[in-house]
Structure formats: structure tokens, C-alpha cells
Amino acid sequence: NLGYAGRKGEEEKFLESLKLSLEYCQATGARLLHIMSGFKQDNVSEAEVKETMLKNLKLAIPLLEEKGVTGLLEPINKNSIPNYNMDNYELALQIIKELNHPNLRLQLDIFHLQQIQGNLTKSIEHLLPFAEHIQIAQVPVRGEPDTKGEIDYTYVFDLLKKLEYKGWIGLEYKPTHGTMDGLK
């Protein structure tokens, strides 16, 4: 299901999954946790998804806080994962702003951002204050960031530096010629 945070009627599964994930975070020392919202359900509106996520995340925040973990919401584009609940940045921001807690932030994946709404400069400027982690890959085939594609990562990195982003940048790509070659 790719998570349960936004799946109506699966709130118990969400909490069970979250508690297990927090055990893994404790065991590994991880301080960031991608909270996945799951696939869309028939006859469940985006408003109901948002309501479900708000209820689930209100319960999650004390658990995240207790363990020193920040939960991350990541919108995923419809081309990569069709019918995923969290498929736009507006929904993620509404939830983050409404709950307004330091243990709930945005995972800003530039690969998804380009495909969901583009306009990277203005989008990054708008979203970065809510972001705790950034991921990158080249569009359209999720290749290494320095391969040919739609995104000029030299420009993006300069923008992030100008905006004083201090967090981690993760590489989430499909290696063209193997992982080690892709890291050179």
C-alpha cells in the first residue's frame, strides 16, 4: 500500500507501522522518517485523505517527538507512482502548516517537484522553509543528477546555497552504469 497515513479505515495499521518504523529509527540512529500516505482508495476524496492524515499525524507527533525523529511528507509524481495519495505539494503544505510542529516537515524531492509543478526556482524558494531533507535525480528517467535531462543541478545547488539550505541532500536515482560509477 506504500503506507497508511492517508488511508481511511486503516488507522490501526498506520500506528503499528509507525511504531515499528520508530524502532528501526532507534536501532539505526535515523532521525528522519518518510511517512507514506498510501494508495488512493475508491470513493475517498482528497479532503477525506487530508482529514485522515491530520488525525493520524496528530497521534504520530508525540511518538516522533519522544523518539527524537522528524516525520517527513513527500509528494510523489503521478508518473512514478500513479494513484498515490500524496501527489501534490499543496496537500503536504496544508497538513504541515495546520499541524505546525517541528517533528513534521517536508521531504523535498526535486525529481518529483519538477514533474508535479515545475517552476523550480519559485517552487524551491516557496517550499524550502518547510523542508528538512532534499532528494535529487534527473528527469525524466531518474538518472544520476549530472546526466542529460530537464534539471540543471549546478543551478539548483547554487540556489540552495543562496537560500542557505544546511540539511542533507540524498541521491535517489537509478544508476545508468552501476552505483559506483554513478557516484564518481
Side-chain angles (χ1 to χ4, degrees):
N1 278 337
L2 289 182
Y4 301 101
R7 289 185 55 87
K8 190 174 178 180
E10 298 183 9
E11 293 82 359
E12 286 183 30
K13 288 181 181 179
F14 169 73
L15 278 177
E16 289 171 18
S17 175
L18 176 67
K19 289 175 183 176
L20 179 60
S21 297
L22 288 171
E23 287 179 29
Y24 289 133
C25 287
Q26 291 299 116
T28 63
R31 294 288 169 242
L32 301 176
L33 176 64
H34 179 186
I35 297 178
M36 300 190 77
S37 65
F39 285 114
K40 294 180 180 182
Q41 298 166 289
D42 291 338
N43 303 313
V44 177
S45 69
E46 185 173 293
E48 291 171 297
V49 168
K50 179 182 173 187
E51 181 182 324
T52 300
M53 289 190 74
L54 286 169
K55 286 179 186 176
N56 281 333
L57 293 169
K58 282 178 187 175
L59 296 173
I61 285 172
L63 301 173
L64 292 164
E65 192 172 28
E66 176 187 328
K67 301 295 183 185
V69 173
T70 299
L72 303 175
L73 301 183
E74 178 189 18
I76 297 176
N77 77 78
K78 295 175 184 183
N79 300 316
S80 294
I81 302 179
N83 298 312
Y84 185 66
N85 276 320
M86 182 60 63
D87 61 5
N88 68 82
Y89 283 88
E90 185 62 32
L91 177 60
L93 279 188
Q94 287 173 7
I95 291 168
I96 290 166
K97 286 178 178 180
E98 191 164 328
L99 294 175
N100 191 27
H101 196 281
N103 289 79
L104 183 65
R105 307 275 290 150
L106 181 67
Q107 181 164 298
L108 182 57
D109 189 319
I110 306 297
F111 170 82
H112 293 303
L113 180 61
Q114 170 65 5
Q115 294 183 76
I116 292 171
Q117 67 189 48
N119 195 8
L120 290 180
T121 300
K122 293 296 181 194
S123 294
I124 291 169
E125 289 172 347
H126 176 67
L127 297 168
L128 196 62
F130 304 96
E132 189 71 19
H133 181 67
I134 292 176
Q135 291 181 172
I136 62 172
Q138 190 55 269
V139 175
V141 296
R142 198 176 202 107
E144 289 92 339
D146 64 346
T147 57
K148 287 185 179 183
E150 296 180 17
I151 302 174
D152 176 357
Y153 274 106
T154 300
Y155 174 82
V156 170
F157 293 149
D158 287 345
L159 176 62
L160 292 172
K161 185 176 181 179
K162 176 183 153 200
L163 297 173
E164 299 182 3
Y165 177 69
K166 304 285 188 220
W168 291 97
I169 297 176
L171 301 172
E172 187 182 25
Y173 63 86
K174 296 176 183 174
T176 308
H177 301 291
T179 301
M180 295 313 292
D181 287 338
L183 292 173
K184 290 180 183 176

